């Protein structure tokens, strides 16, 4: 964790096993107290600014803890406070908060003026949850509450490392008293989740796509039941005929399929229901409109998503590898003279139709594809107020006209509808997506979000979900993998996730000097430098290992004005060339998951793929220290395995081989065909 002085942190560095009350098999029924400060020892282990046990007031028992927050001074600590760790293995039986409803702290402010405080969680990967902020009113106990489900959107609440109470830039000095930090039970069980895994793209059942597949996730013990007490029912109604299946669950995660080969071409309605077997009570229900397409219609589709969540372009799998940028020919020429194949150009609706068509012609000639930016004409956007596009006014009309103008151009790959827009716009963005989808059945829609807690609200607004974690230099590099995992979880694995790795410097956006090409000050470099080569390569491969089906780096025009542009562009071209070489492997539907290794504590991320009968292992060290790791596979290996892009081999023995990793280093292994 970076510089946590300024946070009031309850560190839950717990080594003990989960108790029955907070274990993975039961839903807690009672409040679990984390800290009550009744003993001097429970206060003495906390460090930071001055803090003491107090008997002057307490929300429960006889004692609490008190400390003074200083007024914020420009350039000083923005989150003043103290660090309050528990000793290892003491005070709390488990890191797992997931089965509780909320975490609560009682807070009192001394004096007549209110204070302010934030409450959040931090997990073992140093990922922070969403924060709840409260105004601490004087003369009474105040409750600071954070819903665990809200926290879970941004951090792993099954592996909590800290509970954080902090003051953000306090305008005045004040004294706080904290007591009775606790976890409170849920009001009701987690709702079951019903996911349509296939058809996964616009409800389209392709002739060669295989069976319709539905999955359910339910925490059965929270209902006081076993998985066998539930049934999943799947029914398909097409042209007056009903096809149905019903199965008893064999576990909390379960899939059910319906054959699609006998389904006639045309529309159908698919319904999934989760039932209690003893009473027939319906616990969850979802309905989808689906349609089986003909082989001829599928062949005519320019760009779409297949069952493996790969983008299919002109009938072939395509891995989008490119940049955010602008519609400038000189920029395009340099990008095209590399392994990159895709551009997402901002401002395209501000370019005349004739000029844009000419730019698309150049892109096509250079083998490049465009993700066309429509983010300036979403329903509530104001970019075109008082303006027109080719004589057309109004966001809806401009969007329709732009799609009509470019949808048949062979260089168009997809439509970009949302660039970090907030959750409150989901209804408008859902309607926007439906309009663009209807106007152009031949190209998917793409959005990018930066708020992990809001990801679950957007899957129905897009065909492809993107995330843009930019960790360098302030955050752990695993912010990239955490965002990728959160995005895949938000779409339940049923839509592709694309990543937007960082290729700019934060000082370009946060400096008082608005020239993004200015020479940075030492302070700007310290807090907002651009990624270096190991970080750039590590972020790229963390994205791939955690399931990215496309990469669009942000952004070319910022990178181009960095002082180290020439050096950085050279290494980015090298990274792009590696990804291009691996694209057939990355696009292979034969994803074999992770690989076991020792020591298990090493921060190594792995992905094993099979392509054309051969095995490939991608391994990434996300840590800042060197590590030697031994991999263990389920098949015999050749005596030596090729380390791709490094012109060397690693010795193997039977099913194992070892290798060394420098900090943030990546190795890609060609393991051959493997044997039994």
């Amino acid at each position: 964790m970076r510089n946590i002085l300024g946070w009031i942190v309850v560190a839950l560095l717990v080594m003990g096993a989960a108790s029955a009350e907070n274990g993975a098999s039961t839903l807690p029924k009672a409040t679990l107290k984390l800290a009550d400060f009744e003993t001097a020892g429970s206060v003495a282990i906390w460090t930071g600014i001055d803090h003491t046990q107090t008997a002057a007031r307490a929300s429960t028992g006889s004692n609490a803890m008190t400390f003074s927050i200083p007024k914020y001074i420009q350039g000083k600590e923005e989150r003043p406070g103290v660090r309050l760790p528990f000793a290892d293995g003491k005070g709390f039986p488990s890191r797992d908060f997931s089965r509780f409803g909320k975490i609560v702290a009682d807070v009192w402010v001394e004096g007549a003026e209110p204070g302010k405080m934030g409450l959040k969680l931090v997990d073992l990967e140093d990922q922070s949850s969403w924060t709840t902020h409260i105004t601490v009113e004087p003369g009474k106990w105040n409750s600071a509450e954070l819903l665990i489900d809200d926290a879970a959107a941004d951090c792993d609440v099954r592996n909590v490392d800290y509970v954080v109470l902090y003051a953000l830039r306090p305008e005045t000095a004040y004294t706080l008293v904290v007591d009775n930090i606790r976890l409170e039970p849920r009001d009701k069980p987690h709702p079951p989740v019903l996911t349509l895994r296939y058809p996964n793209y616009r409800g389209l059942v392709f002739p060669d796509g295989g069976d319709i597949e539905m999955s359910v996730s339910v925490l059965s013990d929270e209902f006081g039941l076993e998985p066998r007490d539930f049934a999943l029912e799947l029914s398909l109604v097409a042209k007056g005929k009903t096809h149905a299946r019903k199965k008893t669950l064999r576990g909390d995660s379960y899939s059910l399929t319906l054959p699609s080969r006998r389904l006639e071409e045309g529309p159908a309605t698919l319904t999934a229901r989760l039932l209690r077997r003893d009473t027939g009570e319906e616990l969850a229900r979802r309905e989808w409109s689906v349609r089986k397409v003909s082989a001829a219609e599928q062949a005519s589709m320019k760009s779409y998503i297949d069952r493996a969540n790969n983008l299919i372009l002109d009938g072939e799998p395509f891995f989008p590898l490119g940049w955010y940028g602008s519609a400038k020919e000189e920029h395009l020429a340099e990008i095209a003279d590399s392994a990159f194949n895709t551009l997402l150009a901002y401002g395209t609706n501000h370019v005349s139709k004739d000029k844009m068509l000419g730019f698309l012609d150049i892109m096509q000639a250079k083998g490049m594809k465009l993700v066309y930016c429509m983010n300036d004409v979403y329903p509530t956007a104001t970019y075109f107020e008082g303006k027109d596009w080719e004589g057309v006014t109004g966001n809806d009309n401009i969007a329709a006209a732009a799609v009509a103008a470019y949808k048949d151009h062979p260089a168009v790959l997809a439509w970009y509808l949302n660039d970090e827009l907030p959750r409150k716009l989901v209804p408008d963005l859902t309607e926007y997506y439906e309009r663009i989808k209807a106007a152009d059945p031949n190209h998917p829609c793409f959005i990018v979000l930066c708020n992990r807690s809001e990801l679950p609200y957007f899957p129905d607004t897009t065909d492809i979900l993107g995330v843009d974690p930019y960790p360098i230099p302030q955050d752990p590099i695993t912010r990239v993998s955490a965002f990728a995992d959160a995005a895949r979880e938000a779409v339940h694995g049923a839509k592709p996730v694309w990543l937007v790795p960082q290729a700019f410097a934060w000082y370009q956006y946060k400096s008082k000097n608005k020239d993004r090409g200015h020479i940075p000050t030492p302070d700007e470099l310290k807090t907002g430098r651009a990624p270096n080569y190991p970080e750039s390569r590590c972020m790229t491969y963390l994205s791939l290992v955690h399931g990215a089906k496309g990469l669009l780096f942000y952004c070319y025009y910022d990178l181009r004005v960095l002082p180290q542009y020439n050096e950085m562009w050279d290494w980015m071209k090298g990274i792009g060339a590696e990804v291009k070489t691996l694209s057939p492997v990355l696009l292979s539907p034969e994803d074999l998951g992770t690989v076991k290794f020792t020591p298990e504590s090493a921060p190594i991320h792995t992905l094993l793929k099979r392509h054309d009968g051969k095995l490939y292992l991608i391994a990434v060290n996300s840590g800042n220290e060197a590590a030697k790791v031994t991999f263990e596979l389920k098949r015999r290996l050749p005596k030596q395995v090729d380390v791709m892009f490094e012109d060397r081999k690693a010795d193997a023995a039977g099913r194992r081989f070892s290798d060394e990793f420098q900090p943030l280093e990546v190795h890609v292994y060609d393991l051959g065909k493997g044997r039994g």
Side-chain angles (χ1 to χ4, degrees), residues 309 464-467 483-484 487-488 491 495-499 547-550:
N309 285 326
I464 303 161
L465 179 61
V467 287
F483 264 67
R488 292 175 67 194
V491 297
K495 290 190 177 186
V497 170
W498 293 1
L499 264 288
K549 294 292 186 175

Side-chain angles (χ1 to χ4, degrees), residues 102-181:
K102 58 186 175 182
I103 181 169
V104 185
D106 295 338
V107 190
W108 181 290
V109 61
E110 299 289 9
E113 298 297 324
K116 292 184 178 181
M117 192 191 73
L119 168 62
K120 70 178 181 179
L121 304 179
V122 179
D123 65 20
L124 286 171
E125 296 293 327
D126 208 18
Q127 301 294 329
S128 296
S129 76
W130 178 81
T131 303
T132 182
H133 294 90
I134 69 162
T135 297
V136 186
E137 299 293 345
K140 65 178 183 179
W141 284 102
N142 299 253
S143 289
E145 299 183 353
L146 174 62
L147 297 178
I148 300 301
D149 285 347
D150 285 347
D154 285 318
C155 75
D156 185 358
V157 297
R158 298 162 299 183
N159 288 290
V160 173
D161 206 16
Y162 301 96
V163 177
V164 181
L165 308 171
Y166 67 93
L168 177 60
R169 296 180 184 174
E171 297 176 358
T172 59
Y174 53 90
T175 297
L176 286 173
V177 181
V178 177
D179 198 11
N180 193 22
I181 302 173

Side-chain angles (χ1 to χ4, degrees), residues 87 144 163 166 197 223 296 312 355 377 399 445 521 552 556 644 646:
V163 177
Y166 67 93
R197 297 200 172 278
F223 291 87
I312 304 299
K355 187 174 181 180
V377 287
C445 296
T521 68
L552 295 174
Y556 179 76
M644 298 178 65
E646 298 182 42

Side-chain angles (χ1 to χ4, degrees), residues 228-487:
R228 63 175 178 269
D229 297 319
F230 298 88
L232 179 62
E233 178 185 87
L234 190 58
S235 62
L236 183 70
V237 179
K239 297 185 177 180
K241 298 180 181 179
T242 300
H243 310 269
R245 291 190 72 188
K246 183 178 179 181
K247 288 287 187 179
T248 300
L249 267 61
R250 298 175 184 172
D252 280 356
S253 296
Y254 187 70
S255 294
L256 185 62
T257 62
L258 275 177
S260 66
R261 61 185 179 277
R262 283 181 262 171
L263 179 63
E264 296 182 40
E265 294 171 9
T269 299
L270 182 68
T271 303
R273 299 197 304 155
L274 181 68
L275 310 170
R276 280 190 59 155
R277 291 182 62 214
D278 55 353
T279 65
E281 177 187 0
E282 184 179 276
L283 299 175
R285 177 190 183 100
R286 286 200 68 183
E287 189 173 285
W288 298 267
S289 294
V290 301
R291 182 169 66 88
K292 187 169 185 179
V293 303
S294 66
E297 181 180 355
Q298 181 181 8
S300 71
M301 295 176 67
K302 174 69 177 178
S303 176
Y304 64 93
I305 307 300
D306 73 1
R307 184 167 191 152
N309 285 326
N310 290 327
L311 183 67
I312 304 299
L313 179 65
D314 296 326
E316 298 294 333
F318 179 81
F319 192 92
L321 175 64
W323 290 84
Y324 278 70
S326 56
K328 293 184 177 181
E329 291 184 26
E330 64 270 27
H331 291 186
L332 175 63
E334 189 166 49
I335 296 173
D337 187 25
S338 67
F340 298 106
N341 57 31
T342 302
L343 174 68
L344 193 161
Y346 283 130
T348 42
N349 283 332
H350 295 270
V351 177
S352 70
K353 178 180 174 181
D354 287 344
K355 187 174 181 180
M356 194 66 226
L357 286 171
F359 185 75
L360 285 168
D361 289 343
I362 296 171
M363 290 195 71
Q364 181 67 12
K366 291 181 177 294
M368 296 287 292
K369 301 302 176 184
L370 179 73
V371 178
Y372 192 96
C373 183
M374 300 282 288
N375 185 54
D376 50 7
V377 287
Y378 62 87
T380 59
T382 59
Y383 299 98
F384 276 89
E385 285 187 352
K387 302 177 183 178
D388 71 277
W389 182 83
E390 300 292 317
V392 179
T393 60
N395 287 343
D396 292 359
N397 295 329
I398 292 173
V403 170
Y406 305 126
K407 67 179 182 179
D408 294 325
H409 198 288
V412 172
L413 185 69
W415 304 104
Y416 188 47
L417 306 186
N418 176 344
D419 192 324
E420 300 182 344
L421 295 174
R423 170 185 168 186
K424 67 181 181 180
L425 294 181
V426 164
D428 293 316
L429 295 171
T430 303
E431 182 268 337
Y432 186 40
Y433 162 65
E434 292 294 336
R435 281 195 289 113
I436 302 302
K437 180 174 71 171
D440 180 15
N442 286 316
H443 295 92
C445 296
F446 172 52
I447 70 171
V448 166
L449 302 173
C450 62
N451 189 329
R452 281 175 59 189
S453 66
E454 295 190 345
L455 294 177
Y457 300 96
F458 283 86
D460 290 339
T461 72
T462 188
D463 301 308
I464 303 161
L465 179 61
V467 287
D468 54 356
Y470 302 141
I472 306 303
Q474 296 287 339
D475 291 310
I477 204 163
T478 49
R479 180 177 173 88
V480 173
S481 50
F483 264 67
D485 291 346

Side-chain angles (χ1 to χ4, degrees), residues 12-18 87-95 124 160-161:
L12 304 173
L13 306 174
V14 181
M15 306 301 289
D88 287 356
K90 296 181 181 179
F92 186 59
S94 172
R95 297 182 186 273
L124 286 171
V160 173
D161 206 16

